[in-house]
Amino acid sequence: MKTKHYLSIILSLFMMGSLKAQAPSWQAVGPNDFNQASYNGANYPSLVFNGTVPYVVYSDGGNSYKATVKKFNGTSWELVGTAGFSVSTASYPSLAFNGTVPYVVYQDGGNSYKATVQKFNGTSWELVGTAGFSAGSATYTGLAFNGTVPYVVYRDAGNSSKATVQKFNGASWETVGTDGFSAGSAYNPSLAFNGTVPYVVYGDAGNSDKATVQKFNGTSWELVGTAGFSAGSTMYTSIISTGSELIVAYSSGGAFAKSFSLTTLPVSLTSFEASIKNQKQVNLTWQTASETNNDYFTISKSQDGKIFDKLLNINSKGDNGAAYSTIDFSPFAGTSYYKLSQTDVDGNTEELGVRTVKLADLNEEGLLVYPNPVVNGVINIQHQNLSGLQQIIIYKIDGEVILKDKVLFNNGLAIYQLEKNIPKGLYLISIGNKKHSTKISIE
């Protein structure tokens, strides 16, 4: 077993409360050598809990060193899916959960030793995005979740063996910040989240191979504390967050651990949620545990998860923790991405997280009209294929035309103000030359 994974297991047990000062000795969890069907070894074992159930992933010597995952059922260790489920050899596997769904990242021997992620769908292991998505070979791969979004970290041979972090945007893997953001090559990087902020620790070749921690501030990676803070060089690192502090374990001629207080951060975020409200709106809520010198929050939104436009600013309620909420009355048809960030009194801005919402209740022609019923004569209209001036027609249910006009679409969105007093009732609205239509109620 590699030193890195001893550190990972110790930190996992610490967070679960399984290590107690009064414990007289270590005892086996299930049978010793639970991979005993193979005497060729279990390389790179990594441990994580789903609730109170421990899961282990390893490079399985009994299955050509492909990835295998097992869980402890209370009596014995049982397979999760198929033993050796990766296409080829799987080195440096790491395991994390999205709810109850296990995900695994590993260096993929079948794809030029690049990074690959798979998840268990309840029956079998399937790819998440593209196999071998990293620029070059990926060693010391790690995996963690920001809400439901998987992030991976690895030593990136495609970028001078420096640290790189990527996240899955629902369709593909994209870089978080800059590829190869560490000062020098990074040994055994490890990833964890405090709230929605990602932190990475690694052995820093740019600082005599000592331990360094960086966090992503929404735009770039920045140092946390001092670069190279360990007393000596280190090759193996692991990191967790307790909410109020970071704890880093590392090897440096022995096993060491250090903590870093997070109470001086401008905002300690406990939750950030986006949910559909009244079928055609998005409710955005977040809660802070504490705020220090925070000036205001910003909500931005995007249709592709890459280019964000500011939706609004909300002033801080003070130094104590507080609850915040707002509503987006004009979400995009399909998927909308919402980014929360905070700006402190010195003008520094930090990203706190991104959430996605998908409006699935479009009519079969892809037309979205809201609010429905229409109030105050304002109609929001969305259709991803419409742009420029388009015809708008409103009919009575019996087919009588009561309004015919033009409406301007910008990026698939138009806002139309009824110019005459239309009686309350049920109507049919038709948009564009192809006459995309749906029923609306006017109040």
Side-chain angles (χ1 to χ4, degrees):
M1 182 184 289
K2 300 296 184 181
T3 304
K4 173 185 178 182
H5 298 289
Y6 275 121
L7 297 173
S8 176
I9 289 171
I10 289 170
L11 284 174
S12 295
L13 291 171
F14 171 81
M15 290 296 288
M16 289 299 298
S18 297
L19 294 182
K20 301 180 180 180
Q22 68 270 25
S25 63
W26 289 88
Q27 58 184 350
V29 179
N32 287 318
D33 187 17
F34 58 81
N35 191 45
Q36 57 189 312
S38 162
Y39 292 98
N40 294 316
N43 291 343
Y44 311 107
S46 181
L47 170 73
V48 71
F49 282 83
N50 179 24
T52 60
V53 179
Y55 283 66
V56 171
V57 62
Y58 54 92
S59 178
D60 187 353
N63 286 280
S64 302
Y65 294 98
K66 298 179 180 180
T68 290
V69 172
K70 288 188 175 184
K71 69 177 181 179
F72 187 64
N73 61 19
T75 304
S76 61
W77 291 87
E78 63 180 44
L79 281 170
V80 178
T82 305
F85 59 82
S86 56
V87 173
S88 186
T89 58
S91 301
Y92 312 102
S94 179
L95 176 66
F97 279 85
N98 177 16
T100 59
V101 179
Y103 284 61
V104 170
V105 63
Y106 54 88
Q107 183 193 65
D108 186 354
N111 284 279
S112 302
Y113 300 99
K114 297 180 179 182
T116 291
V117 173
Q118 291 187 255
K119 69 177 181 179
F120 187 63
N121 62 19
T123 304
S124 60
W125 291 87
E126 62 182 39
L127 284 172
V128 178
T130 305
F133 56 82
S134 55
S137 66
T139 52
Y140 313 120
T141 54
L143 174 66
F145 278 86
N146 177 13
T148 60
V149 180
Y151 282 60
V152 298
V153 63
Y154 52 91
R155 175 182 162 111
D156 186 357
N159 286 279
S160 304
S161 295
K162 297 180 179 182
T164 290
V165 172
Q166 290 190 267
K167 69 177 181 179
F168 188 63
N169 62 20
S172 60
W173 290 90
E174 61 182 40
T175 300
V176 178
T178 305
D179 290 310
F181 59 82
S182 55
S185 58
Y187 298 101
N188 280 275
S190 179
L191 172 68
F193 282 87
N194 179 61
T196 58
V197 179
Y199 288 76
V200 170
V201 63
Y202 53 90
D204 185 0
N207 285 278
S208 303
D209 298 329
K210 297 180 180 181
T212 292
V213 173
Q214 292 197 51
K215 72 172 184 178
F216 187 64
N217 62 18
T219 304
S220 60
W221 290 89
E222 62 181 39
L223 282 173
V224 177
T226 305
F229 60 82
S230 58
S233 63
T234 179
M235 288 290 291
Y236 304 101
T237 62
S238 190
I239 186 171
I240 59 172
S241 168
T242 66
S244 61
E245 63 181 355
L246 299 173
I247 299 176
V248 170
Y250 58 91
S251 66
S252 184
F256 296 85
K258 285 190 175 183
S259 64
F260 184 87
S261 175
L262 298 174
T263 57
T264 58
L265 295 177
V267 170
S268 176
L269 187 71
T270 58
S271 67
F272 172 36
E273 304 295 337
S275 58
I276 296 173
K277 179 181 177 66
N278 297 332
Q279 296 184 325
K280 301 294 190 296
Q281 302 162 7
V282 173
N283 193 39
L284 300 159
T285 61
W286 62 99
Q287 174 76 48
T288 62
S290 64
E291 299 176 35
T292 303
N293 296 323
N294 178 37
D295 191 6
Y296 61 88
F297 295 95
T298 300
I299 290 286
S300 305
K301 74 174 184 177
S302 170
Q303 195 166 16
D304 60 7
K306 298 178 181 179
I307 300 175
F308 284 84
D309 295 315
K310 185 178 76 173
L311 186 62
L312 80 165
N313 292 335
I314 295 182
N315 290 334
S316 168
K317 294 182 179 180
D319 291 340
N320 296 322
Y324 298 84
S325 66
T326 188
I327 297 173
D328 180 14
F329 291 96
S330 303
F332 295 110
T335 301
S336 294
Y337 297 80
Y338 295 92
K339 179 169 68 177
L340 175 65
S341 57
Q342 66 83 213
T343 301
D344 62 30
V345 293
D346 296 323
N348 298 316
T349 297
E350 177 182 36
E351 180 182 325
L352 299 178
V354 176
R355 297 292 182 265
T356 59
V357 169
K358 184 174 183 180
L359 290 175
D361 53 350
L362 303 176
N363 75 342
E364 61 183 8
E365 296 176 333
L367 180 66
L368 177 64
V369 178
Y370 59 95
N372 194 2
V374 177
V375 293
N376 300 323
V378 177
I379 306 176
N380 296 277
I381 309 165
Q382 288 188 36
H383 194 292
Q384 61 182 5
N385 295 329
L386 294 180
S387 61
L389 283 174
Q390 300 289 335
Q391 181 175 259
I392 177 173
I393 304 175
I394 297 179
Y395 304 85
K396 289 184 177 180
I397 296 301
D398 61 10
E400 178 187 351
V401 176
I402 63 167
L403 182 146
K404 189 173 184 179
D405 200 356
K406 295 285 187 178
V407 61
L408 179 63
F409 278 81
N410 184 17
N411 293 325
L413 172 65
I415 300 176
Y416 186 79
Q417 175 71 57
L418 294 175
E419 296 181 353
K420 66 179 188 178
N421 187 20
I422 298 177
K424 295 181 180 179
L426 188 63
Y427 296 88
L428 185 70
I429 184 170
S430 173
I431 306 295
N433 294 331
K434 294 186 178 180
K435 296 184 177 180
H436 304 289
S437 62
T438 191
K439 291 180 180 179
I440 61 171
S441 176
I442 297 177
E443 294 186 350

